[in-house]
Amino acid sequence: MAEDFMPLDGWDHVELWVGNAKQSAFFYEHAMGFTRTAYAGPETGVRDRASYVLEQGDVRFVVTSALREEHEITKHHARHGDGVRDIALTVPDATQAYREAVSRGARSVMEPRRDEDEFGTVERAAIATYGDTIHTFVDRSDYGGPFLPGYVSASENGHADPGVGLLNIDHIVGNVELGRMNHWVEFYERVFGMTNILHFGDDQIQTEYSALMSKVMSDGSGKVKFPINEPAEGKRKSQIEEYVEFYGGAGAQHIALASTDIVGTVEALKERGFLFLDTPDSYYEEAPGRVGEIAEEWPVLQEHKILVDRDEDGYLLQIFTKTAQDRPTVFFEVIERHGATTFGEGNFKALFEAIEREQALRGNL
Ligand code: FE2
């Protein structure tokens, strides 16, 4: 294998630019079980924005909004609604990662910079990916403070939540415009040295109405996985097209979060009022025959509408939430893997039909 010119230690954080970070933080805390760990805003000397850091297991979200009209974040929000701005990755050397990426054709968003406070030094740099989304490279190996210099610890102020069992980010899916999937697949190959580990054509991902194509990109270690979707021609509007129309271009479609007890996680989320996509009972007539033996009880999975799929390495359980904002854009997945390394292809049809029922309710199908 060729030398890895872009070693990644894993996901650092996902930053969402939203209309009202104070209320978004409340949603992630109270509906999803995150604990607020750090804050930056006017009270800490940051004059133009407010950012809340939310953590659960190894998952770290940052929600940020701007305080004035004339601001990059305000413009981003007007165009996209609440959405993922930054899929930040932890790297051993942010300057080196940035140089490698830019020399391979990536567009620079932030040149390497070092920020320092009494807790140490963080080095960061950022490049552009699809739409207005970016990847920040973060080297925090010499830092022991709350998130980044400029942030203060918020644990004492927030409520320490036991969480709902979400442990880490499994994958983050990008939706891109018609005909652009291969461009972004090639981008992740060239700039990140990733490989295309799975490919689905529109003949595989098709419902009665809509179709899409998908390729999954993975880094060498398999820690960071980016499925990329593009719409395909169907009888009606593809749900990927609906996303691209309402997001105002390409962007992150869903963030999959891993649990080792999906039933407990889903029960806790439902208790908090979180809403999931429905699955028809007919799914559970066909699923046991397709999937074979599993440790979980089928009636419990059916009660919670948890989906199951099997590949040559094992099986997985997964469920998808309803969209997290009014625009039909970002949503979440909860996934529990039992050896399976794929993404629930056997469920694509059931998933897409569930999304189409929602799309039809919105009058967009
Ligand atoms: Fe997924």
Side-chain angles (χ1 to χ4, degrees), residues 171 173 254 256 320 333:
H171 59 275
V173 178
H254 73 265
F320 299 89
E333 171 182 351

Side-chain angles (χ1 to χ4, degrees), residues 170-173 227 253-256 318 320 331-333 335 337 343-344 348 351:
D170 187 273
H171 59 275
I172 300 180
V173 178
Q253 178 209 36
H254 73 265
I255 302 171
Q318 62 187 167
F320 299 89
F331 60 91
F332 297 94
E333 171 182 351
I335 184 165
R337 294 185 180 276
F343 297 84
F348 278 6
L351 165 66

Side-chain angles (χ1 to χ4, degrees), residues 292-350:
E293 201 167 312
I294 57 172
E296 293 73 16
E297 309 266 348
W298 282 102
V300 176
L301 300 180
Q302 179 167 1
E303 182 195 335
H304 290 300
K305 311 294 183 162
I306 293 167
L307 307 172
V308 192
D309 197 27
R310 183 179 287 281
D311 64 25
E312 55 187 32
D313 299 309
Y315 70 96
L316 62 82
L317 306 155
Q318 62 187 167
I319 190 167
F320 299 89
T321 72
K322 295 200 177 193
T323 53
Q325 57 292 307
D326 291 305
R327 295 199 199 192
T329 52
V330 182
F331 60 91
F332 297 94
E333 171 182 351
V334 182
I335 184 165
E336 176 178 341
R337 294 185 180 276
H338 289 264
T341 53
T342 51
F343 297 84
E345 291 73 65
N347 292 323
F348 278 6
K349 197 173 162 69

Side-chain angles (χ1 to χ4, degrees), residues 12-13 25 28-29 33-40 51-57 59-63 119 140 144-148 151-161:
D12 192 86
H13 65 274
Y28 288 105
E29 288 177 294
F34 281 79
T35 294
R36 181 183 308 197
T37 56
Y39 170 77
S51 296
Y52 300 77
V53 181
L54 303 147
E55 297 187 54
Q56 182 168 181
V59 185
R60 181 158 48 204
F61 290 163
V62 181
V63 290
F119 300 107
R140 55 174 71 255
F147 191 52
L148 291 175
Y151 282 75
V152 295
S153 172
S155 326
E156 340 43 278
N157 313 328
H159 84 142
D161 199 298

Side-chain angles (χ1 to χ4, degrees), residues 87-339:
I87 301 168
L89 303 165
T90 317
V91 295
D93 183 337
T95 301
Q96 181 65 13
Y98 172 87
R99 288 200 183 123
E100 293 285 355
V102 169
S103 76
R104 286 171 168 77
R107 181 166 64 79
S108 168
V109 174
M110 180 174 76
E111 293 201 3
R113 58 178 284 168
R114 292 163 70 86
D115 292 288
E116 222 177 298
D117 66 9
E118 72 265 37
F119 300 107
T121 306
V122 179
E123 191 176 48
R124 286 178 299 154
I127 59 159
T129 178
Y130 47 74
D132 287 329
T133 316
I134 68 169
H135 290 304
T136 296
F137 299 119
V138 185
D139 171 10
R140 55 174 71 255
S141 56
D142 293 324
Y143 193 68
F147 191 52
L148 291 175
Y151 282 75
V152 295
S153 172
S155 326
E156 340 43 278
N157 313 328
H159 84 142
D161 199 298
V164 295
L166 298 171
L167 298 173
N168 56 270
I169 296 175
D170 187 273
H171 59 275
I172 300 180
V173 178
N175 280 347
V176 302
E177 300 89 344
L178 183 66
R180 297 289 283 169
M181 176 180 69
N182 284 329
H183 169 85
W184 292 107
V185 164
E186 192 268 333
F187 170 87
Y188 282 106
E189 283 170 348
R190 174 167 40 88
V191 172
F192 282 82
M194 289 187 167
T195 48
N196 176 206
I197 55 168
L198 286 165
H199 174 206
F200 312 102
D202 54 352
D203 49 331
Q204 287 149 292
I205 311 182
Q206 191 160 28
T207 66
E208 190 188 347
Y209 296 126
S210 104
L212 66 90
M213 298 195 287
S214 187
K215 285 185 177 175
V216 181
M217 305 308 292
S218 174
D219 76 320
S221 69
K223 274 183 284 202
V224 174
K225 285 166 289 193
F226 293 132
I228 310 283
N229 294 335
E230 79 167 48
E233 292 297 328
K235 257 198 242 168
R236 299 196 189 170
K237 183 190 288 185
S238 167
Q239 55 199 253
I240 308 305
E241 210 178 319
E242 187 201 31
Y243 173 101
V244 169
E245 183 184 323
F246 281 85
Y247 195 69
Q253 178 209 36
H254 73 265
I255 302 171
L257 302 168
S259 168
T260 50
D261 172 19
I262 193 170
V263 171
T265 297
V266 169
E267 277 173 356
L269 287 167
K270 283 184 175 168
E271 185 110 329
R272 291 160 179 260
F274 216 94
L275 299 175
F276 292 88
L277 290 181
D278 199 9
T279 304
D281 286 324
S282 57
Y283 173 89
Y284 296 90
E285 289 162 19
E286 118 346 290
R290 173 170 56 83
V291 173
E293 201 167 312
I294 57 172
E296 293 73 16
E297 309 266 348
W298 282 102
V300 176
L301 300 180
Q302 179 167 1
E303 182 195 335
H304 290 300
K305 311 294 183 162
I306 293 167
L307 307 172
V308 192
D309 197 27
R310 183 179 287 281
D311 64 25
E312 55 187 32
D313 299 309
Y315 70 96
L316 62 82
L317 306 155
Q318 62 187 167
I319 190 167
F320 299 89
T321 72
K322 295 200 177 193
T323 53
Q325 57 292 307
D326 291 305
R327 295 199 199 192
T329 52
V330 182
F331 60 91
F332 297 94
E333 171 182 351
V334 182
I335 184 165
E336 176 178 341
R337 294 185 180 276
H338 289 264

